[in-house]
Structures are given as structure tokens and as C-alpha cells.
Amino acid sequence: MAIKDYLRERFFPHMWCPGCGHGTILNSLLRAIEDLGLSKSNIVMTSGIGCSARISGYVDFHSLHTLHGRALAFATGVKLSKPELTVIVPMGDGDALAIGGNHFIHAARRNIDITAIVMNNRIYGMTGGQFSPLSGPGKKATTAPYMTIDNEFDVVELAKAAGATFVARSTAYHCQEATGYLKQAILHKGFSVVEILSQCPTHYGRKNKEGDAAAMLEIQRDTTARIGSKALDENPGLIPRGIFVDIEKPEYCEEYGKIIERATKRKAS
Amino acid sequence: MSEKLMFVQGNEACVQGALYAGVDFFAGYPITPSTEIAELLAAKLPEKGGKFIQMEDEIASMCAIIGASLTGHKVMTATSGPGFSLKQEAIGYACMAEIPCVIVDVQRGGPSTGNPTHVSQGDINQARWGTHGDHGIIALTASNHQDVFRITVDAFNLAETYRTPVVLLFDEVIGHMRERLVVPEPGALPIVDRLRTSVPKDVDYHPYLPREDGRLPMSDFGGHHRYNVTGLFHDMWGFPSNNPSVVQELLRHLVDKIDTNVDVITRYKEHYLDDAEYILVSYGSSARSAIHLAKNRRQKGERLGVLELQSIWPFPAELVRARCADAKAVVVVEMNMGQVLTQVKAAVDHPNRVFLANRIDGKLITPSDIKGLLRVIQGKGV
Ligand code: SF4
């Protein structure tokens, strides 16, 4: 199927700014789905609120555009009630880890078979450039005119600690690598997290003097390195990319299936 | 299978009603005094292949049931005051996206943490206006376990009929008191399933284009119609729109689909009402004391009757006006500072004849509490 067959062209043009990384991530995701040959009617995309969350409107899947921070809670209801569906949840950094942080760690803890994508541009774009829990200290934002003093989360470390059984990181610049990780994440049975660094040239880039979209993509290239690479060995200050966790653990819906078996047997006896 | 006799708490009567109506997905979070509903469904749902999940918080529970409703399931959550507050944003989402769901609020004293183990009826207005923005909502209640059972079945039927959240406003006394319950045979009470679209595969399905009767046939997630669901104002495709005429049309629809059906939705009971000179308007556990008093006073020849409301929202204003038209005085009996009183005063022809008999100290209002006030109104002194 051609990529455009996965899009709802009726709803274009999209609302993203020129140069926004989110469109590239959508591209990586659709290529992953195309490579896997998944049926469109078997996919539910659930998102929250923010620039990133609008992604769900543009794709020709069952799409559920929900409340700020709550996408994973809605997705949990979708998945547990119909486990045969493939559930994909793209989220922004504020959406996933500020207002939605509690749902994020608990979805990971349950190891429910959902693919969470954190499209991390380190800023609240839709509301005009406020700092997020992923901005980190020393950044400029409309709510940090004197620089941020808040420390940031490390999405990978947080997901690992919370119990996610597949954790990867890539960037909008490394779009083919991202496609590969997304494919593995979707195939993985359990809660998978793929963090993809994205760029918001309109707010983050302008406030922090990182230049235009092309310059910001170069920053993604130059400040990250594959785990196991020489570059990372020599410069541990770089942000590691790669697959950090890929383990098997009992999946939530399958475990619930066993509860149903036990309960129906008890009832029959 | 025949009918089943049980001796249960009100919370269990609610669970039995939900099972009878066909609930097959429940998400919840522990909170007094509603927790028994979650505990019972954790045991009973998997027995019939249904699903129970204890979520990380009240907000997540509300969100999870909305997700499960979209895959075609009958869904419910249960909570009390503080949890009901937390769920409000997602209840508004269900109003906007028109997702059938049932929310049980077993009321306790508020505001805030309030009086968790004691009775109150303080969430009446919150059930109506707890979430932001204009919207229609249905809220039902009951005063005994047989009615709790039946009204819970009604709640599911109305949620599926009007594609709306329905709130069941019970209270701590009803929730925890034990009483006889007869569960009717399957088929004895009507069960409504949601209308599903007949639009065939590969033909455009418009999820948000109301039929002439205002109803919108649904399509389950996972089926062959793929569409968008959002909490933003949206067009007939479910796609976000801020076009003024789309916004106005949708908001009107959300309000009108409930309010124009107030007569169909209204549930109530009359006790000794026919020739009543004095009328008590009450609901929930307060109505038990009102009915008890009316029965006693009738034996003494006093013409006292009770109008027991079982649907609070949309408020049955015309019913209240008509029934109270000839009364010398109307006393609203409730356990709050007069939340239904305000509605009754607005509904009747003579608001100056409407009085409040209330109790707000966490104790059940008694027949003698009501009798004292009634004597003063009647000019008999205490
Ligand atoms: S504001 Fe930033 S994140 Fe939002 S669309 Fe524009 S560039 Fe992308």
C-alpha cells in the first residue's frame, strides 16, 4: 500500500509549522506500519492534546483524540476490552510526562501491549513555547524568561524503571532508524516506549537560538550517538540512541485472559 | 432460569442491575463508600468473560471506560465525591464525543475529603454542572434496593439510547444498607443495546451525522469503519472544526438530545399523592424518611403525600409543577443546602410555598426532623 493510503487526505493540509519534526515522525511511523503490512482496520491510534497529538486525525486508522495527558488511560480501555487491536499512542513530552506522567508509569508497570511514542521537542508548542519536564535546566521558554531551573526526566531511564519491556530512542533526523525501532516496538508483546527527539523551530528553536529546522536536525545528528558506537565511548556526554530494553514478561491482557479462565471454571464447578 | 432472591447492600443491588443490563467492562479506583461495587465486579465480570481493571487513579478509570465503550462494550465506573470531582473532565469528553457510559456516585459528605463514611446528597448540582461548558446530562437515583436495581438497568439503557454519560446518584445509606432484592428473570426487564450503523463496508459512514430522530448509529473500533473521535468541536466525520455553524449546531444537539426528551427520561414515584394538601418532594435515602412520615400521618388522617424523584437531570420541572399545583405547601426533603429545592422553586407556580427540610451533619434525615418543620409550616408550633 502506498504511504498516502494511510492518510486521510480529506483532512489536509495539516496544522504543523513548516520544519516541525512531527511530520517526519509520522512518516517514520507510517513506513513502519507499511513494512509490517498491518491492516488499517486493526489499528487504533489514541492521542492526547498538543501539536503531536494531532497526528491521530491525519491517519486512516480508528483514531481517538482524547484529553491532555490521558491518552494512555483511554488506550488501556481500548486494548483491554479488545486485545486483538494494535494500539499506538503518540504523545508529546508534556502530554506524556507532565500531566500524563502517572498514566505513563502505570501503563509501563502493567506491561500492557501498547506502543507509546514520545515525540520529544522539549517544549509546549501548541500553547506557545512554555518549558516542559523534558526541557532541562538552562533553557529559555516563555515561562522561563530567566532560564529554566527544573531538571528533566530521562524518558529511557524512566520507562525502564517503570517496567516497560521495550525501550528505544531515536530522532527525527534518523528517520529510517526510527522506522526500524517503531517496527520492533509494534511487534513487541508488552508495553513499548520509543522516544523520538523532534524539533520545534517555531518556539524552542527560536527561543534557544538553535536556528532553523535544518540546523536543529543537525543538532540531533551531532549531539546523539548509537549505543555501542565509538563516538559514544569517546564522548559519553552525547545522548545515546538505540534499543535499551527488549525483554519478555507476562503481558497484561494475556494475564487477564487467564483470570477469565479461572473465574469461568470456578463458576462452572 | 428464574428470579433470584437476595439480601444485599445497595452497592450490590447496583452491581446486580449492571450485570442484568449487560455491563462487560468496569474500571475503578478504591474509594469509600462505593468500593464494594468495584470489589464485586472484580469477581463477577471475569465469570462472564467481561473485564475489570483497577486503574492508577479516578481520572484514568473514567478514561478507560470511554475507550472500552468505543470498542462496543457496556461500561461503568463507580466513585464518590472526591473521585467524582476528578472524573469531571473526562465526563465532559464523553458528553462531547457522545460515548455511552455509566458513572455511579455513591455520595458522601463534602466538600473535599469531607465525611467519607457518612451520608450526604451534596453532589446533585455537580452531576449537572461538574464539567465545564454547556451540555446535557442524565442523572438518576433511587431509595430502595429493588429500585436501585431497576434504575441501574435504566441507566445503561438510557446511556446506550442517547449516547451519553448517565450518572447514578446513590448515597452512603443506600449503598451500605442491607435489604431484600429480587433479581428478575432474564428478559423480564427490557435491555437496550446501542444502535449500530447499517452502512456497509467501503461506503462512507458519518459517525456524527444525526439521523432524523437525532440518534447517531455507532460503529465499534476494530470494525470496518475507521473514523475520528475527539473532544474538540467536530463535523460529521468527527474531524475538528471551529466553523461557527458547526460549533453552534453540535452544542445545540448535545443539549437538545437530552432536554427535549425530558418526558421520556423522567422517572418518579407517587406515594399518597392524589389528594395531598402537603407534599414532600424527595429522593434517595431521604425519600425513605419522607415516605415513612407520610404513611404515619395518613393513619392520623392528615393529607400528606410524597413525590419521589428518580430522575434528577434533566429536571422534571413540568411534572413537579403539575403535581404540586394544588398543594398548600411543598417541602423538599434532602441532605444538602437545598440543591433540588432551587429546582422545585423554579418549577412551581407558588415558590413562596416551597420549604426545605434538610440535614447536613452526616446523619440520615429522620421522619421526626421532617415532622418538626411541617408542624411549623402548618402553624402548629413544634
Ligand atoms: S509549534 Fe512547534 S511543535 Fe507545534 S507544530 Fe509548530 S513547530 Fe511543531
Side-chain angles (χ1 to χ4, degrees), chain A residues 38-118:
Chain A
L38 301 177
S39 152
K40 293 197 285 187
S41 293
N42 212 38
I43 301 175
V44 179
M45 187 177 278
T46 304
S47 66
I49 296 295
C51 295
S52 58
R54 289 301 184 95
I55 197 171
S56 63
Y58 303 131
V59 293
D60 189 19
F61 309 135
H62 303 283
S63 58
L64 180 54
H65 177 234
T66 68
L67 300 171
H68 193 32
R70 316 297 173 204
L72 282 169
F74 282 85
T76 299
V78 170
K79 181 69 186 178
L80 180 61
S81 64
K82 217 174 208 179
E84 62 270 31
L85 295 172
T86 298
V87 181
I88 301 173
V89 183
M91 295 173 284
D93 38 299
D95 197 29
L97 293 165
I99 189 164
N102 198 33
H103 310 307
F104 183 85
I105 56 174
H106 286 277
R109 173 181 62 77
R110 285 187 196 103
N111 195 34
I112 186 161
D113 186 17
I114 290 172
T115 302
I117 306 167
V118 182

Side-chain angles (χ1 to χ4, degrees), chain A residues 139-160:
Chain A
K139 301 288 161 39
K140 277 244 172 163
T142 58
T143 44
Y146 307 107
M147 299 283 203
T148 49
I149 54 169
D150 292 48
N151 295 319
E152 76 270 45
F153 277 131
D154 180 322
V155 181
V156 166
E157 293 303 322
L158 185 67
K160 272 160 73 171

